Amino acid sequence: MFKKQLTLLAGVFAVLMLVLGSCKSKYEKLKASNDNAKKYSEAIKLYNKREYSKALGLFDDLTTRYRGHEGAEDLFYYNAYANYKLKDYTAAGYHFKTFADTYPSSPRAEECRFMYAYCQYLDSPIYSLDQTNTSKAIDGLQLFINLYPKSDRVAEASKLIQTLRDKLESKSYANSKLYLTIGDYQAAVIAFGNTLRDYPDTKYAEELEYLTIEAQYQYAKHSREDFQEDRFGLTMTYADQFTEKYPKSKFLNDAARYKKYSQEGIAEDKRILAEALTDQRLAKKIAKKDTVKSQPPSEKGNDDKKIPN
């Protein structure tokens, strides 16, 4: 009895395997086969029919087998574009670069070198995120221009580079303002200067130069008394330079106020230091302070939004 049941189960299993095997699609059977020529032909057909996922499945099986053989160049070219069409720009960029490096004399090398850089451009995130890919994209596009200075794509590459640089400029602008927002005034002054140095033609120049005055004033105001005169003096210098450079600026009155507050700050600072010469307790109190005094909690995070009273 047991043997009959075992035989029956074996028969059912065989039938089941036969059914499952017959249920495999034509594509799955081809993918599992070793008929590379047929795979190649079908992959190209699928690509031309815009069935990129299926085409890529076959391309992936064929790339290692066709390396160094006739037809490999077309295969690698279509493989790169299949990834591109599926918006996998990281993989596409890798394959475009591999093609250009492997077939530098190919008529398609220029196109693939450009597409490699363009994929990096497409992988560049919004300016608020890490901009490593943006810098890589700029380098890739610039390399393309250097390698193919007479290419019809140079104008487009240059335009893409400018778009990416604008993104880096916005990132630098936002980061520098953040220092002012959190009350790290010395870092804000340095960051504003760095942005202006790195992007001398920035559209944010006027605002950044005004914010430099504000940040320097706040830095001086929150400094220890024996550092204040020089730091207030620098605020006044920035204010004078701004007034001369932007005589019609909307920030002109605010810049003038910061200059006035700095003059008053210097006068008050001198008074305190003079008093400290005859008041040892006051002198010791000043000496124990950090070079930058603690910022009052009520002012933290708000200094870029108001003029002090």
Side-chain angles (χ1 to χ4, degrees):
M1 182 69 178
F2 177 74
K3 286 184 178 180
K4 288 183 178 179
Q5 289 177 337
L6 190 62
T7 302
L8 181 61
L9 286 173
V12 172
F13 181 75
V15 171
L16 182 61
M17 291 300 294
L18 185 63
V19 171
L20 290 174
S22 65
C23 288
K24 276 190 177 180
S25 68
K26 180 181 176 182
Y27 172 80
E28 290 171 328
K29 289 178 181 178
L30 178 61
K31 197 171 186 300
S33 78
N34 292 318
D35 191 342
N36 294 332
K38 190 172 183 180
K39 276 187 180 181
Y40 186 101
S41 174
E42 187 63 24
I44 299 300
K45 288 180 182 178
L46 288 168
Y47 178 90
N48 290 330
K49 289 166 63 176
R50 299 184 181 180
E51 295 185 40
Y52 302 118
S53 293
K54 285 187 175 181
L56 191 59
L58 297 179
F59 287 144
D60 285 343
D61 286 343
L62 292 168
T63 48
T64 54
R65 302 181 189 186
Y66 266 76
R67 191 175 299 276
H69 292 78
E70 185 179 355
E73 182 177 330
D74 283 347
L75 177 63
F76 294 161
Y77 178 80
Y78 282 113
N79 187 37
Y81 265 106
N83 282 283
Y84 173 75
K85 296 292 186 179
L86 291 170
K87 297 184 179 181
D88 186 348
Y89 301 125
T90 301
Y94 169 79
H95 289 296
F96 281 126
K97 184 178 185 300
T98 299
F99 182 98
D101 291 341
T102 306
Y103 305 103
S105 300
S106 168
R108 295 167 171 169
E110 176 188 320
E111 174 191 355
C112 287
R113 184 69 67 184
F114 174 81
M115 288 302 298
Y116 160 63
Y118 184 61
C119 285
Q120 289 182 308
Y121 167 82
L122 294 174
D123 258 345
S124 171
I126 60 174
Y127 78 88
S128 59
L129 300 178
D130 179 76
Q131 294 300 304
T132 300
N133 284 349
T134 302
S135 297
K136 287 181 179 178
I138 291 174
D139 291 342
L141 289 163
Q142 189 59 58
L143 176 61
F144 173 81
I145 292 173
N146 295 343
L147 291 174
Y148 304 99
K150 296 182 180 180
S151 171
D152 292 339
R153 296 182 174 90
V154 165
E156 184 178 358
S158 298
K159 184 177 179 180
L160 294 176
I161 287 174
Q162 187 56 56
T163 300
L164 294 167
R165 284 178 175 164
D166 288 346
K167 189 181 294 188
L168 292 179
E169 177 186 321
S170 295
K171 175 75 171 180
S172 182
Y173 165 76
N175 282 353
S176 60
K177 286 189 69 176
L178 181 61
Y179 286 114
L180 184 58
T181 301
I182 65 176
D184 191 343
Y185 303 122
Q186 183 181 24
V189 172
I190 294 170
F192 291 142
N194 289 341
T195 301
L196 290 165
R197 180 201 63 208
D198 295 340
Y199 307 97
D201 298 323
T202 176
K203 60 187 176 183
Y204 304 113
E206 181 180 336
E207 180 184 359
L208 289 172
E209 291 186 51
Y210 162 70
L211 291 175
T212 300
I213 301 169
E214 181 177 344
Q216 180 61 35
Y217 170 79
Q218 295 293 350
Y219 179 47
K221 178 183 175 184
H222 294 98
S223 294
R224 199 171 71 188
E225 283 77 359
D226 46 346
F227 288 88
Q228 285 188 336
E229 183 174 357
D230 288 343
R231 292 173 183 176
F232 277 130
L234 189 53
T235 305
M236 294 165 63
T237 298
Y238 287 150
D240 287 340
Q241 291 172 344
F242 182 86
T243 300
E244 183 177 352
K245 189 172 182 179
Y246 302 104
K248 296 182 179 179
S249 173
K250 65 179 181 180
F251 301 115
L252 209 59
N253 290 336
D254 293 334
R257 285 198 198 101
Y258 278 123
K259 181 178 179 178
K260 178 185 175 184
Y261 297 149
S262 295
Q263 291 170 333
E264 294 171 351
I266 290 174
E268 177 63 12
D269 177 56
K270 287 182 176 180
R271 184 193 68 75
I272 294 173
L273 291 177
E275 184 179 342
L277 292 175
T278 58
D279 187 335
Q280 290 187 351
R281 181 179 297 178
L282 177 59
K284 288 180 180 180
K285 183 179 178 181
I286 292 173
K288 288 181 180 179
K289 293 178 181 178
D290 292 331
T291 56
V292 178
K293 298 182 291 187
S294 298
Q295 184 183 357
S298 62
E299 292 183 322
K300 286 184 178 179
N302 295 314
D303 295 296
D304 61 329
K305 301 177 182 178
K306 67 178 182 181
I307 297 296
N309 296 319

